[in-house]
């Protein structure tokens, strides 16, 4: 995992792909069912930038809108936040817990992402069964978050706040294009949203392009990505 994160730091660094890699690898290597990554802008507002699956997205968006949940608590305290059973009474975060349980999540752990002693975001780990995350898994999750954060922002020297703001601005701009491209491919190829994203990620890696660049070519209906329309079913990247 650590080697793979380091290998992602190529000359044309793709921060969106890097964060998706972190989320998906966290689900594969830790006893969790979904993961979401949030980064804070220069004003301290958290934004969702990557998720391991579409299951995490509605929960994270609810969290961001309500400002009631483990991500905000972890970000402001700088500590790992644990909730082994979201059904416990009284609920720690009433609205968040209700939304999470409805989506099938019963436990959550949120690990702060640090840069030079400053918290810049959080790695959120969701489980569909109640119970505490094993201590060794929590330690590994903190290591993933720390190494990934250092790797993510070391490519841009300067003040940490400025680096985070720049990355977040770029990431959010790229995410808009990626979402548009996913919608086009979903309609054009009659495939699911998750398959559309997987298709673009595979194509980007195979052709040595950034995911955002491939997405822009799709939205512009560029002939350079016509090969995407000839693939009936995307092959999993991992």
């Amino acid at each position: 995992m650590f080697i793979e994160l380091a290998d992602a730091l190529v000359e044309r660094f793709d921060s969106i792909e890097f964060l998706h890699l972190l989320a998906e690898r966290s689900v594969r290597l830790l006893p969790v069912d979904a993961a979401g990554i949030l980064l804070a802008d220069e004003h301290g507002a958290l934004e969702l930038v990557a998720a391991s699956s579409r299951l995490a997205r509605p929960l994270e968006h609810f969290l961001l809108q309500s400002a009631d949940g483990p991500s905000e608590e972890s970000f402001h305290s700088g500590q790992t936040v644990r909730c082994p059973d979201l059904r416990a009474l009284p609920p720690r975060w009433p609205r968040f817990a209700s939304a999470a349980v409805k989506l099938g999540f019963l436990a959550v752990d949120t690990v702060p992402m640090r840069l030079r002693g400053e918290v810049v975001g959080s790695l959120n780990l969701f489980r569909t069964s109640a119970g505490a995350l094993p201590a060794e898994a929590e330690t590994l999750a903190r290591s993933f978050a720390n190494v990934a954060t250092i790797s993510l922002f070391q490519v841009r020297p300067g003040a940490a706040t400025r680096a985070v703001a720049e990355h977040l601005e770029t990431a959010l701009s790229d995410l808009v294009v990626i979402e548009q491209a996913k919608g086009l491919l979903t309609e054009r190829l009659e495939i699911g949203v998750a398959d559309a994203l997987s298709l673009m990620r595979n194509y980007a890696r195979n052709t040595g392009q950034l995911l955002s660049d491939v997405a822009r070519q799709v939205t512009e209906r560029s002939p350079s990505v016509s090969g995407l329309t000839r693939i009936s079913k995307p092959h999993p990247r991992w």
Side-chain angles (χ1 to χ4, degrees):
M1 170 67 167
F2 295 129
I3 293 173
E4 192 167 20
L5 289 175
D7 286 345
L9 298 174
V10 294
E11 183 177 354
R12 297 190 70 211
F13 182 70
D14 193 336
S15 59
I16 297 294
E17 180 62 21
F18 180 86
L19 292 170
H20 274 294
L21 175 65
L22 172 60
E24 292 179 350
R25 282 294 186 263
S26 294
V27 172
R28 173 175 290 191
L29 298 175
L30 300 171
V32 301
D33 300 291
I37 297 171
L38 291 85
L39 295 180
D41 63 16
E42 59 184 329
H43 304 295
L46 291 171
E47 295 284 353
L48 175 68
V49 293
S52 63
S53 71
R54 54 192 172 187
L55 289 178
R57 284 193 176 275
L59 183 61
E60 289 292 358
H61 282 303
F62 177 86
L63 165 61
L64 293 174
Q65 293 170 2
S66 67
D68 170 33
S71 292
E72 285 282 345
E73 185 172 324
S74 179
F75 175 69
H76 290 294
S77 70
Q79 303 297 318
T80 296
V81 173
R82 311 169 187 84
C83 185
D85 194 342
L86 288 164
R87 300 166 300 180
L89 297 176
R92 189 167 178 178
W93 314 285
R95 290 181 294 174
F96 174 84
S98 176
V101 171
K102 286 180 180 178
L103 289 169
F105 295 113
L106 300 182
V108 62
D109 288 81
T110 299
V111 181
M113 297 179 68
R114 298 177 180 278
L115 177 65
R116 304 182 187 95
E118 179 182 353
V119 179
V120 300
S122 63
L123 170 62
N124 305 271
L125 306 170
F126 303 96
R127 301 189 301 287
T128 56
S129 58
L133 191 68
E136 61 272 19
E138 182 182 325
T139 299
L140 193 56
R142 287 201 304 270
S143 297
F144 287 170
N146 291 338
V147 171
T149 307
I150 293 170
S151 300
L152 182 63
F153 293 111
Q154 65 87 28
V155 297
R156 294 194 182 189
T161 301
R162 185 174 70 250
V164 173
E166 290 174 354
H167 269 288
L168 181 59
E169 182 179 358
T170 299
L172 293 179
S173 176
D174 290 344
L175 281 172
V176 171
V177 178
I178 292 169
E179 291 296 323
Q180 293 173 342
K182 283 162 56 179
L184 287 174
L185 289 177
T186 296
E187 180 180 356
R188 187 183 308 169
L189 303 182
E190 298 182 348
I191 59 178
V193 174
D195 284 342
L197 178 59
S198 177
L199 182 60
M200 287 193 293
R201 292 177 67 191
N202 288 337
Y203 189 86
R205 168 171 258 193
N206 292 338
T207 58
Q209 300 182 71
L210 300 181
L211 175 59
S212 56
D213 288 344
V214 171
R216 287 187 178 86
Q217 293 170 52
V218 170
T219 60
E220 295 168 358
R221 302 180 187 275
S222 171
S224 60
V225 291
S226 59
L228 281 170
T229 64
R230 296 196 297 267
I231 301 175
S232 59
K233 185 177 181 180
H235 299 289
R237 176 174 172 184
W238 296 294

